[in-house]
Amino acid sequence: MTSVALAVTDGMLHFELGIAHEVFGSAPDAVTVPWYDLAVCGPRPVPLGPFRLAPDHGLDRLRDADTVVVPGWADVDADPPGELVDAVRAAHAAGARIVSLCTGAFVLAAAGLLDGRRATTHWAHTDTLAARHPAVEVDPDVLYVDDGGVLTSAGKAAALDLCLHVVRLDHGSSVANTVARRLVVPPHRSGGQAQFVTAPVPDQDGHPLTALFPWVVERLDSPLTVEDLARRAGMSSRQLTRRFRAATGTTPLQWLLAQRIRRAQELLERTDDGVDAIATATGMGTATTLRRHFNRTLGVPPDSYRRTFRTRTGATTPE
């Protein structure tokens, strides 16, 4: 069982803390893998907006955790408490994975954990983070950054995206999707998706992309092109690309590839199908193409991914 410690002190944002507690605190009924051992750690009872929280453990518990989560820091113009900074730094030195949500990145930066690393935070505060910590490579245009053992997210909803990303790393895409369904949120938004887009992913009746998304997902085994998607949406390829970027922050082909990879992850976890069959089922065409995109996107080949997550869920790995 992986242990997760939530670091809380005066000045934390309760929304991001609640997100982390909801994701890591208990598994959905449909999930049978051993879940996280969650500890809420702080030096004393602390106010969180209109709430008051009594931590279960002191900040020294962070050193024993596999993963430390630092929620949003309310006042980015104020220095975070030295005891929190020291505890996070010590946890990282002890080998913990460090995750910050929203403006929690300012705590990680104060601890020196982001020096020489790529990181992000809420788009309204990226300039402040970059100016205060010039050794940090601040990326203002992404939802979250996974830089090895140090992970940072943008604001609010992106904090949930990063928590689901951590679940996906630990337990696979199928389990992460189950958690997302319980929370009634999209199962996967890639970290490279833009933070700030001109319009949300549309859900209103009559918007051409509303019907297009499920139509595409049902046809991932087909060799779809931008022209196919534009024809289905009743617009030109240029119009489709412009509306797609406005709605999702990415291009139609990048979004389509992300859906194909996600489907491949699910098939690798849940079925005994060979890589060739999965390549066909996801519209990749050949096992070589699937392996190339899968490795480039996730950093591991499909076979290694399957061995990792089929073993963790107790399923039988195909020969």
Side-chain angles (χ1 to χ4, degrees):
M1 181 180 295
T2 299
S3 59
V4 174
L6 300 185
V8 294
T9 61
D10 294 349
M12 290 295 183
L13 297 173
H14 60 277
F15 184 84
E16 287 78 3
L17 176 65
I19 285 173
H21 198 283
E22 180 68 22
V23 172
F24 301 116
S26 61
D29 292 340
V31 172
T32 59
V33 298
W35 205 239
Y36 300 94
D37 177 20
L38 180 67
V40 180
C41 307
R44 64 191 71 85
V46 296
L48 295 169
F51 309 108
R52 186 172 179 83
L53 177 69
D56 303 316
H57 306 275
L59 288 173
D60 57 342
R61 178 66 177 269
L62 300 187
R63 291 195 304 270
D64 300 323
D66 298 307
T67 299
V68 170
V69 179
V70 180
W73 177 244
D75 187 357
V76 299
D77 294 323
D79 293 331
E83 58 189 342
L84 173 62
V85 172
D86 291 343
V88 170
R89 187 186 295 118
H92 179 260
R97 175 174 57 189
I98 310 296
V99 177
S100 72
L101 306 179
C102 192
T103 48
F106 283 82
V107 177
L108 272 58
L113 304 188
L114 300 183
D115 289 354
R117 293 182 182 271
R118 182 168 160 263
T120 194
T121 189
H122 190 290
W123 61 267
H125 303 295
T126 51
D127 287 346
T128 302
L129 181 64
R132 189 173 302 162
H133 301 280
V136 182
E137 182 186 345
V138 179
D139 190 336
D141 297 322
V142 295
L143 293 178
Y144 57 85
V145 173
D146 181 344
D147 193 335
V150 179
L151 300 84
T152 54
S153 87
K156 306 301 181 185
L160 179 52
D161 291 320
L162 180 53
C163 289
L164 290 173
H165 172 71
V166 170
V167 173
R168 190 173 295 107
L169 290 174
D170 293 340
H171 297 295
S173 182
S174 180
V175 171
N177 292 346
T178 300
V179 175
R181 282 193 295 272
R182 182 184 70 175
L183 299 175
V184 198
V185 297
H188 186 205
R189 295 197 300 169
S190 66
Q193 185 169 320
Q195 271 196 50
F196 186 78
V197 294
T198 57
V201 175
D203 59 5
Q204 67 268 33
D205 293 338
H207 193 291
L209 297 188
T210 302
L212 180 63
F213 290 143
W215 182 86
V216 172
V217 170
E218 291 172 2
R219 291 164 176 79
L220 292 177
D221 58 340
S222 303
L224 299 172
T225 65
V226 173
E227 289 73 22
D228 294 328
L229 272 59
R231 190 178 307 111
R232 176 68 185 181
M235 61 183 72
S236 70
S237 298
R238 180 174 295 181
Q239 287 175 316
L240 177 74
T241 299
R242 184 172 62 251
R243 290 206 178 193
F244 226 96
R245 187 173 290 280
T248 69
T250 188
T251 68
L253 287 182
Q254 289 171 333
W255 180 86
L256 178 58
L257 177 60
Q259 307 314 304
R260 296 191 193 281
I261 294 295
R262 184 165 64 85
R263 178 67 57 80
Q265 288 177 276
E266 294 176 350
L267 294 175
L268 287 165
E269 294 172 28
R270 292 183 168 184
T271 75
D272 294 327
D273 295 347
V275 175
D276 285 296
I278 292 175
T280 299
T282 57
M284 298 280 193
T286 68
T288 299
T289 300
L290 172 59
R291 288 190 174 97
R292 182 175 69 252
H293 287 300
F294 200 95
N295 205 353
R296 185 174 62 188
T297 302
L298 299 176
V300 295
D303 301 308
S304 296
Y305 182 90
R306 167 173 267 164
R307 283 194 298 272
T308 298
F309 291 109
R310 296 277 281 188
T311 299
R312 291 183 185 180
T313 58
T316 301
T317 303
E319 298 297 332

